[in-house]
Amino acid sequence: MKFKTLGRHAREGTKSVWRNGWMTISAVGAVTTTLLLVGVFLALMLNLNEIAGNIEDDVEVKVLVELTADEQQVSELENNLGDLPAVGELTYSSKEEELDELVDSLGDQGKAFELFEQSNPLNDAFIIKPDNPVDAIQIAEEAEAMDQVDEVDFGEEIVQRLFQFNEYARYIGLGLIVGLVFTAIFLISNTIKITIIARKKEIGIMKLVGATNAFIRWPFFVEGLTLGVLGSIIPIAAVMSGYYYLYYNLQDRIQFDFIQLLPFNPFAFQLAGLILVIGAFIGVWGSVMSVRKFLKV
């Protein structure tokens, strides 16, 4: 395509944006609202996914060794646990280390347990980090069936609920985003449909003098792209400024180590780029749908 022809398409497409007046404002407003919601949902979903990932990375399976097990039996159990295919990391914790950890975790109240140092009632334990957190349940089941295992603890109910929550949150969030995007596509499609109807006579004349379908469609393509890009400006500014405020004012107040927001840079800029791409896609796809369905050429 010649540069002069491309320039003509660009001029015609942008003229249609201003020519349609209130319909353009309506379409841009719809895209703006959609992308603002999409941006907020994406920021929320991706951060929840990061937090869930941090929690999943902390999933451990603790295998308590029977109090009557001797050194050889403990060694055999360690070898058997290490042979499990889903085990990523296996750490031995003696009952003395278990008692020290219990005392430290309880703070001042834990000092009362120091009395048990001479007659420690706790079990030796193996701490297992799965390669994949989802495999924690399988590892626990296989470990429970082994000899010299007294008990297996990995917070079964909490872990299962965590996995279910993550799965549902991803599907629901994705469904909402897809629904919002298609709503904006529909509105832009209707806006361009009105433009096509208004220029029906002009388009007919262009066809009579030999204009190709592609030549006629290009201005509408530019119009849809322009509407999508214009609609992404406010959402990008709002999401970036809002995330900047949250990240630099909220992060220091979070008291839980596993709750870590994604770094403002590069996350906010990547999110802004994604919003711009989605906006352009919404505009272009709305244009393509409208032209394909309503342009009779």
Side-chain angles (χ1 to χ4, degrees):
M1 183 182 297
K2 295 181 180 179
F3 181 79
K4 185 177 180 180
T5 304
L6 186 61
R8 180 263 175 195
H9 294 326
R11 286 193 303 272
E12 288 297 316
T14 51
K15 279 181 183 179
S16 294
V17 171
W18 306 116
R19 187 186 300 148
N20 289 328
W22 288 109
M23 285 303 300
T24 293
I25 294 174
S26 175
V28 171
V31 176
T32 298
T33 303
T34 299
L35 291 181
L36 188 58
L37 293 173
V38 167
V40 171
F41 272 118
L42 279 174
L44 181 62
M45 280 181 56
L46 292 173
N47 275 282
L48 283 177
N49 192 57
E50 176 72 8
I51 293 170
N54 291 336
I55 296 175
E56 288 177 352
D57 288 341
D58 289 336
V59 171
E60 296 178 339
V61 178
K62 177 175 281 191
V63 180
L64 302 182
V65 183
E66 288 185 347
L67 294 173
T68 57
D70 55 33
E71 290 186 6
Q72 182 178 352
Q73 290 172 325
V74 172
S75 179
E76 290 177 357
L77 177 59
E78 182 175 11
N79 292 333
N80 292 334
L81 292 172
D83 289 338
L84 294 177
V87 171
E89 181 180 336
L90 179 65
T91 306
Y92 174 73
S93 178
S94 67
K95 60 183 180 180
E96 290 78 20
E97 292 171 328
E98 289 292 295
L99 181 60
D100 290 340
E101 183 179 344
L102 177 62
V103 171
D104 292 340
S105 65
L106 295 176
D108 293 336
Q109 297 178 350
K111 293 181 180 179
F113 289 90
E114 293 178 353
L115 300 174
F116 293 103
E117 289 182 352
Q118 300 301 322
S119 55
N120 190 339
L122 300 181
N123 303 67
D124 295 327
F126 288 100
I127 313 298
I128 300 174
K129 293 277 292 184
D131 275 329
N132 188 332
V134 178
D135 294 329
I137 299 173
Q138 177 185 347
I139 292 174
E141 292 174 351
E142 293 176 341
E144 282 180 337
M146 294 183 181
D147 295 333
Q148 311 307 324
V149 172
D150 183 30
E151 184 181 346
V152 178
D153 180 27
F154 67 104
E156 181 176 2
E157 291 186 4
I158 296 175
V159 171
Q160 288 180 334
R161 288 178 182 177
L162 172 65
F163 294 151
Q164 289 175 353
F165 171 79
N166 290 345
E167 185 176 0
Y168 291 148
R170 291 182 182 118
Y171 285 133
I172 292 173
L174 183 60
L176 287 172
I177 290 172
V178 171
L180 289 169
V181 167
F182 273 102
T183 299
I185 289 175
F186 173 77
L187 290 170
I188 287 182
S189 178
N190 281 344
T191 301
I192 294 178
K193 175 187 174 183
I194 292 174
T195 303
I196 294 171
I197 293 173
R199 298 177 60 191
K200 186 175 182 180
K201 184 176 181 181
E202 178 187 346
I203 291 170
I205 294 172
M206 292 172 66
K207 284 294 293 179
L208 289 175
V209 298
T212 64
N213 288 351
F215 184 87
I216 296 173
R217 286 190 175 102
W218 261 101
F220 298 109
F221 177 91
V222 172
E223 181 180 352
L225 178 63
T226 303
L227 291 173
V229 171
L230 287 174
S232 67
I233 295 174
I234 293 177
I236 288 174
V239 170
M240 288 191 70
S241 58
Y243 194 76
Y244 180 89
Y245 175 81
L246 287 176
Y247 183 78
Y248 287 104
N249 289 276
L250 185 64
Q251 187 67 29
D252 294 338
R253 301 180 187 178
I254 299 175
Q255 299 179 355
F256 302 99
D257 293 337
F258 61 86
I259 301 180
Q260 296 291 327
L261 299 179
L262 291 164
F264 177 81
N265 185 14
F267 172 69
F269 294 97
Q270 292 171 343
L271 184 59
L274 184 58
I275 291 174
L276 181 62
V277 170
I278 293 175
F281 171 79
I282 288 173
V284 170
W285 191 250
S287 173
V288 169
M289 286 179 59
S290 180
V291 172
R292 181 175 296 174
K293 187 174 182 179
F294 299 107
L295 184 56
K296 305 299 182 181
V297 292

